[in-house]
Amino acid sequence: MASPSSFLLLAVLLALVSWQATASDPSPLQDFCVADMNSPVRVNGFVCKNPMEVNADNFFKAAALDKPRVTNKVGSNVTLINVMQIAGLNTLGISIARIDYAPLGQNPPHTHPRATEILTVLEGTLYVGFVTSNQPAPNRNKFLSKVLNKGDVFVFPVGLIHFQFNPNPHKPAVAIAALSSQNPGAITIANAVFGSDPQISDDVLAKAFQVEKNTIDWLQSTF
């Protein structure tokens, strides 16, 4: 029979393996791995550029994140700076975004499949929130929300559906978000469900949302 210390060692090893398996991006094994966008090799991320060819511009972008952006039809604009804009972010597990909100604008419900997000309000007021997963009660689909003012910070856990909304009908708002992945990804719920290509069957969506098929057809037509 195994000793208690053996069980403890096994538990520690399993915890370490589990932690590595749930990490958003792998930890780098060198100072940097600037992405070689021209390499034909495909890996989980990007192949490293020859370090002898690396220069400061590989870690820089004149992103003008201090400048306001034109918002879209839902009243927001996300300017994401990830590995596709700065090759030096490859393997470093981080990216950043400026988010502009028109009066009454929103960054609609969405998820980041590969990143936790920490949001800081730079200007204005935001109503933000996220919903927990379909885990056992009493925390099943629990909605957590907060009104944020200038200088406030809020965290959205990895993979959970979240949103931001500017409740002010007269003034815009601005936030900066940091994300724990070089390429966090974004799945906007409405776009994915009603705007997929090809479309999801209206029979499937009508049953899922418990509405008539003509309602689903109308929603799909708007996307």
Side-chain angles (χ1 to χ4, degrees):
M1 181 178 293
S3 66
S5 60
S6 298
F7 282 119
L8 178 60
L9 177 60
L10 178 60
V12 171
L13 289 173
L14 287 174
L16 288 172
V17 170
S18 174
W19 177 80
Q20 289 291 340
T22 58
S24 294
D25 286 345
S27 298
L29 299 178
Q30 59 276 319
D31 287 348
F32 51 76
C33 173
V34 173
D36 182 354
M37 301 299 185
N38 298 316
S39 173
V41 178
R42 294 291 176 263
V43 295
N44 185 23
F46 294 95
V47 173
C48 298
K49 188 176 182 178
N50 184 338
M52 298 301 294
E53 299 174 3
V54 169
N55 57 51
D57 285 339
N58 297 130
F59 301 89
F60 168 80
K61 182 176 180 63
L65 290 187
D66 59 325
K67 301 294 191 298
R69 266 61 173 181
V70 176
T71 55
N72 59 23
K73 64 180 181 180
V74 296
S76 66
N77 186 310
V78 179
T79 304
L80 176 65
I81 307 298
N82 64 6
V83 69
M84 303 306 294
Q85 286 76 43
I86 300 180
L89 283 175
N90 193 39
T91 75
L92 297 185
I94 193 170
S95 54
I96 192 171
R98 173 189 169 115
I99 313 173
D100 290 79
Y101 311 85
L104 299 180
Q106 66 169 295
N107 189 12
H110 63 282
T111 74
H112 300 295
R114 294 178 290 278
T116 291
E117 175 182 349
I118 183 167
L119 183 94
T120 303
V121 179
L122 299 184
E123 295 292 341
T125 299
L126 291 176
Y127 170 56
V128 307
F130 67 86
V131 180
T132 64
S133 61
N134 299 348
Q135 55 190 345
N139 291 320
R140 181 184 296 117
N141 300 133
K142 185 174 182 179
F143 176 49
L144 303 174
S145 65
K146 192 79 174 175
V147 174
L148 307 181
N149 297 304
K150 183 176 180 178
D152 289 345
V153 176
F154 196 83
V155 174
F156 304 105
V158 58
L160 297 186
I161 295 174
H162 60 283
F163 69 89
Q164 302 105 37
F165 172 70
N166 177 9
N168 193 312
H170 306 294
K171 295 182 179 180
V174 181
I176 287 286
L179 301 111
S180 62
S181 172
Q182 68 181 43
N183 186 24
I187 302 170
T188 303
I189 306 306
N191 294 6
V193 173
F194 299 114
S196 64
D197 184 17
Q199 291 182 340
I200 300 173
S201 165
D202 56 5
D203 289 314
V204 172
L205 295 182
K207 192 172 186 67
F209 286 94
Q210 296 292 288
V211 298
E212 298 295 328
K213 286 204 294 184
N214 58 0
T215 301
I216 297 297
D217 294 338
W218 176 80
L219 286 167
Q220 289 179 323
S221 71
T222 65
F223 288 88

